[in-house]
Amino acid sequence: MRHVPANARQASVWPVSLQSQPGSRSISDDDLCAWCMHLCYRPGERSLCQRADTDGVWPSRCDVDGCAQSCPSLLLNNPPEK
């Protein structure tokens, strides 16, 4: 499993289904979003980011497999210092 950022915590299980919510998507346990306090997390179902815009677009940046690799909500998109 990759490094978990210091400002992240594993998301709690969201109490209601989000299957029909626009912008919801499947989240694996090793996805960066699974460690975000802004996630409405439903293991085995579709989850939803509370920081998604009105069109349901999440702020996270995903790799070709669809797993989040960075997210401005977790301040992980800052350029490296030189």
Side-chain angles (χ1 to χ4, degrees), residues 18-25 46 48 52-58:
L18 300 163
Q19 293 293 100
S20 62
Q21 294 294 314
S24 63
R25 67 179 178 96
R46 296 174 67 87
L48 186 64
D53 66 19
T54 55
D55 293 326
V57 178
W58 293 33

Side-chain angles (χ1 to χ4, degrees), residues 9-73:
R9 69 164 178 78
Q10 191 164 26
S12 301
V13 176
W14 194 251
V16 296
S17 178
L18 300 163
Q19 293 293 100
S20 62
Q21 294 294 314
S24 63
R25 67 179 178 96
S26 180
I27 298 292
S28 64
D29 290 340
D30 64 345
D31 191 301
L32 181 65
C33 293
W35 294 89
C36 180
M37 66 183 174
H38 302 294
L39 182 69
C40 302
Y41 188 48
R42 294 288 296 180
E45 295 181 26
R46 296 174 67 87
S47 300
L48 186 64
C49 178
Q50 294 175 0
R51 295 282 177 112
D53 66 19
T54 55
D55 293 326
V57 178
W58 293 33
S60 58
R61 306 296 184 257
C62 297
D63 60 19
V64 294
D65 296 322
C67 287
Q69 298 298 316
S70 63
C71 182
S73 290

